[in-house]
Amino acid sequence: MYALPFSFNTVLLFYNKDVFDRFAVPYPKETLSWDEAVVLARKLTREMDGTSYQGIYPGNWTQQRSQLSLDFVDPKSNKVIFESDPGYRKVFELYQSIYLIPGMLTTLNGKDGFFKSRQFAMYVNWLTDVLYLFEDAHKSGNPLSWDMMRLPYFTEKPGIGSKVDVHMLMVTAQSKQKYEAMAVVGFLTSSEAVQVAAAKTGRIPAIQSSEAQKQFGANYASVKDKNTKAVFDTKMAPLWNYSPYDVQAMYPPIEQAMKDVMNHKSDVNTALKTAAEKTNKLIEENPAR
């Protein structure tokens, strides 16, 4: 045994109620498909009083890729499956449909657009990456009117969110008290009191505990009365099948392909084909050992 999970993280959709109210659009229901989210985004991508409001910031496309548990590489051929797996087309077409909405911008940073200029109506990100930003805004006297919900789902994977993100505690090989250290790790990861305390700071507990769920975010005034149920209702997607070539497959051709689609510089077919050709060449030039 090398490590034990201390807490988890998950991807959610956060929304700014003020933008919805500004355009008299009802707040999103408890669950949305990605198709429904795009329809909602169209209603909220508008200009008013010189400000360009954006319907949604969909996050990083790898979050939706992980919802579908898409592999990067075919283990038999050691070639990427960007063209052969229809899931990649589905994710790319989702982003294309979002950034084809008139008025949508690719130049606006997600966090800045949601927390500073407050132009985004909906915003996708990891939970623990943003909770402190809501609290900072609350403490500064300029709180957001917001709530959160589960990540929109693909219709063939109803209710499935992004991949699991585990925060682990482990003992290093250099430790001179490995057994004692592992005993501490075991306590921290299994004690309900410790896990409840962590949940109060916005960490998803590693154990099943109704009290930890009840106390989630209790240390943050900005989380009071928010839909924390969404945190625990999320079903995390199974991980994809690992390949030793995943590092080459993740960057940068496929990232550039998505940027080209988002910026209307390429169609989906051409973008995926180009990314596949460039990545396969990288794999051939850097064989796994």
Side-chain angles (χ1 to χ4, degrees), residues 59-74:
N60 187 293
W61 73 276
T62 58
Q63 293 161 346
Q64 289 81 18
R65 185 198 70 83
S66 74
Q67 278 187 279
L68 298 175
S69 302
L70 299 177
D71 295 346
F72 283 108
V73 177
D74 180 344

Side-chain angles (χ1 to χ4, degrees), residues 5 20-21 65 100 110 142 164 172 176 213-214 218 226 241 252:
F20 281 81
D21 293 343
R65 185 198 70 83
L100 281 175
N142 187 26
V164 63
T172 67
K176 295 180 180 180
Q213 292 188 20
K214 180 180 177 181
K226 298 299 184 290
N241 296 304

Side-chain angles (χ1 to χ4, degrees), residues 268-279:
V268 171
N269 289 340
T270 302
L272 289 174
K273 182 175 186 295
T274 301
E277 290 172 349
K278 290 182 177 180
T279 307

Side-chain angles (χ1 to χ4, degrees), residues 124-241:
V124 171
N125 207 339
W126 291 98
L127 172 68
T128 57
D129 287 4
V130 299
L131 274 190
Y132 76 96
L133 294 171
F134 288 113
E135 189 66 7
D136 287 349
H138 183 88
K139 290 179 178 177
S140 72
N142 187 26
L144 279 86
S145 177
W146 68 284
D147 213 331
M148 55 187 165
M149 58 182 291
R150 284 183 281 173
L151 186 66
Y153 60 87
F154 289 99
T155 51
E156 64 269 42
K157 299 273 188 176
I160 300 298
S162 188
K163 69 179 179 69
V164 63
D165 179 42
V166 187
H167 300 168
M168 311 286 285
L169 295 181
M170 62 185 68
V171 179
T172 67
Q174 292 77 21
S175 173
K176 295 180 180 180
Q177 292 88 27
K178 291 185 176 64
Y179 291 104
E180 294 83 356
M182 199 64 197
V184 173
V185 168
F187 171 74
L188 294 174
T189 55
S190 62
S191 164
E192 184 170 35
V194 172
Q195 290 286 298
V196 168
K200 289 181 178 181
T201 67
R203 288 182 175 272
I204 303 174
I207 64 171
Q208 293 291 329
S209 168
S210 58
E211 184 62 20
Q213 292 188 20
K214 180 180 177 181
Q215 294 294 329
F216 182 83
N219 288 0
Y220 291 159
S222 57
V223 178
K224 184 179 180 181
D225 298 326
K226 298 299 184 290
N227 181 30
T228 57
K229 184 173 179 288
V231 175
F232 300 97
D233 285 348
T234 294
K235 297 178 183 177
M236 298 181 186
L239 292 175
W240 61 92
N241 296 304

Side-chain angles (χ1 to χ4, degrees), residues 87-121:
Y88 279 94
R89 178 183 304 280
K90 181 173 288 291
V91 173
F92 269 59
E93 288 178 346
L94 168 63
Y95 273 70
Q96 183 182 56
S97 68
I98 289 172
Y99 286 98
L100 281 175
I101 296 173
M104 279 295 297
L105 304 173
T106 60
T107 54
L108 187 59
N109 175 274
K111 283 186 179 180
D112 288 345
F114 192 79
F115 290 97
K116 292 184 179 180
S117 64
R118 305 189 180 183
Q119 292 168 256
F120 281 118

